[in-house]
Amino acid sequence: MDLPVKSLMSSCITRFEILDRYLSDPDTAPSALTGEERAYFSDPRRRGNLPLRISPHFLSLMGPGKDDPLRKQAVPRIQELDATAHELSDPLGEDLYSPVPGLVHRYRDRVLLKMTDLCALNCRHCFRRSFTGGARGPLTEAQADGAAAYLADHPEVREVLLSGGDLFTLEDDVLFDRILRLRAAEDPGERRRIFRLCSRIPLVTPERITDALIRELVKTGPHWLVVQVNHPRELSSEAVAVLGRFIDAGIPVVSQAVLLRGVNDEEEVLEELFQGLVGLRIKPSYLFQGDLARGTRHFRVPLLRGLELMSRLEGRLSGLALPVYAVDLPGGGGKIRLTPERHEKDEEGLRYYRGFDGKLYGYPLEG
Ligand SMILES: *Cc1c(COP(=O)(O)O)cnc(C)c1O
Ligand code: SF4
């Protein structure tokens, strides 16, 4: 019998005391809380910051030692509470492009819809951290209808990114109610829009993915699944099995990774990750330079280091395995490939790239 999502979600670790106890137990313990982690939890400024949330599966994948690449993504450190001058609460400028609540329309043929603000793992590097965390809840029926009306008026939109938060934290009945409301915006004579399911859940809470869920997805498609995978160790046997079920059911899977200091900023790690994904029939699509979200400086890799890593990987990986290195230009410049043609100049510690609107946007060279 499959568990409802709510009980899966309530099994996540959300309290410091529980995490402390788990990490301090010499039988299970990867390693007790470090000074930087403990300092975070005793700092009152953490109120209002992205809350702690770690799924039991992700916790079980953490290896020993305080420098574990999965632990760094999940356990907050004190550095999160220090914002730099370049960091922004809405680093992508999404609020500038939101014509109706929950929907972001920045590129002509595709929109992004925030289905909920809840996730099964609150990634400490999350760039949408001022939105995520679970205080708002699911997109309401009225908001879904509003988005559908907007889509009906915009036939040029060919892809809808169902994002968040994480859409698979929704119960099936809520998820499919919203999907069907969006599908109702389509003219029966027209090609159906592609819905892109953006989720980490197949990796962080694979038990959420049931046969019933996949069956309903197939009926309401076409869908593509886009997963975020940052380190090869996230590809647990459970996750691999779940990803294979999507693909076997006819839902293609692509992956994205965020370049993260101390997690995957080594050639060998990225090579293993991308080759591993291709072996699972998953195309690595993007490697993202970190966005300038508040309190994420300790994760960002200097641009020149990222470019160097990519050029070395180009010599080692096949076209299938190599993703595109890209950044969302801070302040609403859009997503661009970090290629030499887009690079305009370096000035006062910033590297300037030209956005699609023709304007220049600076990204700090040192992260
Ligand atoms: C990233 C993003 C997309 C999708 O862009 P792709 O390059 O097609 O992956 C669409 N809308 C918004 C607002 C985005 O941030
Ligand atoms: S799953 Fe995505 S939206 Fe959720 S916390 Fe992680 S990065 Fe942010």
Side-chain angles (χ1 to χ4, degrees):
M1 177 53 197
D2 294 316
L3 289 170
V5 184
K6 201 170 164 197
S7 81
L8 278 180
M9 290 301 292
S10 62
S11 67
C12 291
I13 291 200
T14 54
R15 286 184 33 222
F16 163 71
E17 295 76 20
I18 311 258
L19 179 68
D20 190 19
R21 205 178 311 146
Y22 175 86
L23 293 178
S24 309
D25 179 344
D27 291 332
T28 54
S31 118
L33 281 170
T34 66
E36 287 176 351
E37 293 164 347
R38 201 168 282 284
Y40 173 87
F41 287 105
S42 57
D43 193 314
R45 289 177 300 162
R46 83 183 159 100
R47 263 167 257 297
N49 190 30
L50 180 70
L52 174 73
R53 181 178 281 277
I54 310 177
S55 69
H57 182 71
F58 199 82
L59 196 67
S60 76
L61 298 180
M62 278 185 197
K66 57 186 175 42
D67 289 326
D68 180 73
L70 274 61
R71 180 178 179 134
K72 285 195 169 147
Q73 294 180 61
V75 179
R77 286 170 280 162
I78 185 70
Q79 291 91 324
E80 239 180 80
L81 298 176
D82 294 314
T84 71
H86 292 298
E87 290 176 341
L88 308 160
S89 62
D90 178 18
L92 277 47
E94 290 189 335
D95 295 344
L96 304 171
Y97 297 89
S98 182
V100 295
L103 186 140
V104 184
H105 190 184
R106 185 161 43 189
Y107 308 110
R108 182 175 181 276
D109 66 338
R110 50 215 194 273
V111 299
L112 182 149
L113 191 60
K114 296 176 187 169
M115 299 291 280
T116 172
D117 58 343
L118 194 63
C119 297
L121 169 71
N122 283 351
C123 312
R124 302 327 304 179
H125 55 273
C126 179
F127 65 92
R128 213 175 268 141
R129 58 194 308 120
S130 61
F131 173 80
T132 46
R136 292 175 180 84
L139 188 80
T140 64
E141 293 175 5
Q143 287 168 339
D145 290 339
Y150 182 84
L151 288 173
D153 281 343
H154 291 83
E156 71 276 20
V157 173
R158 296 308 319 155
E159 282 182 37
V160 182
L161 283 72
L162 305 184
S163 182
D166 197 311
L167 77 163
F168 292 136
T169 62
L170 299 173
E171 299 286 348
D172 288 6
D173 56 344
V174 177
L175 175 62
F176 289 105
D177 171 84
R178 303 303 185 269
I179 286 179
L180 291 174
R181 283 170 198 271
L182 297 170
R183 285 284 181 218
E186 290 174 348
D187 197 326
E190 271 184 32
R191 248 182 327 149
R192 286 185 145 197
R193 292 189 172 95
I194 307 287
F195 285 7
R196 248 200 253 180
L197 315 168
C198 309
S199 180
R200 274 198 100 167
I201 284 202
L203 295 121
V204 307
T205 313
E207 61 271 39
R208 159 67 181 104
I209 308 300
T210 60
D211 289 336
L213 173 71
I214 293 188
R215 256 196 322 273
E216 284 305 305
L217 286 172
V218 169
K219 282 193 216 156
T220 55
H223 298 293
W224 281 61
L225 176 67
V226 182
V227 289
Q228 181 189 145
V229 194
N230 298 323
H231 191 276
R233 278 237 319 281
E234 292 166 42
L235 297 169
S236 65
S237 56
E238 293 88 343
V240 165
V242 156
L243 292 165
R245 276 156 65 205
F246 277 97
I247 301 169
D248 291 342
I251 301 173
V253 183
V254 304
S255 70
Q256 305 185 336
V258 186
L259 185 58
L260 297 169
R261 196 200 302 176
V263 173
N264 59 10
D265 56 340
E266 297 290 340
E267 207 172 322
E268 294 72 23
V269 174
L270 290 173
E271 180 174 353
E272 188 187 337
L273 174 64
F274 299 142
Q275 281 179 342
L277 287 160
V278 171
L280 300 172
R281 300 175 283 166
I282 298 170
K283 164 75 188 137
S285 64
Y286 280 122
L287 174 68
F288 285 116
Q289 174 65 18
D291 293 314
L292 301 179
R294 251 183 239 291
T296 58
R297 165 128 205 222
H298 55 304
F299 281 116
R300 286 197 293 276
V301 175
L303 262 177
L304 297 182
R305 167 82 181 140
L307 290 165
E308 183 197 316
L309 278 169
M310 274 307 285
S311 80
R312 287 211 234 133
L313 287 171
E314 268 176 46
R316 293 170 70 142
L317 289 175
S318 76
L320 269 185
L322 190 72
V324 167
Y325 184 37
V327 69
D328 238 300
L329 289 172
K335 210 182 261 114
I336 60 147
R337 291 162 186 241
L338 285 162
T339 56
E341 305 84 74
R342 292 218 162 257
H343 170 208
E344 293 283 336
K345 59 173 179 182
D346 295 344
E347 212 169 85
E348 294 179 8
L350 297 176
R351 173 158 285 205
Y352 285 87
Y353 288 96
R354 201 167 289 281
F356 290 108
D357 56 5
K359 293 190 195 139
L360 289 181
Y361 293 85
Y363 186 101
L365 271 165
E366 284 312 311

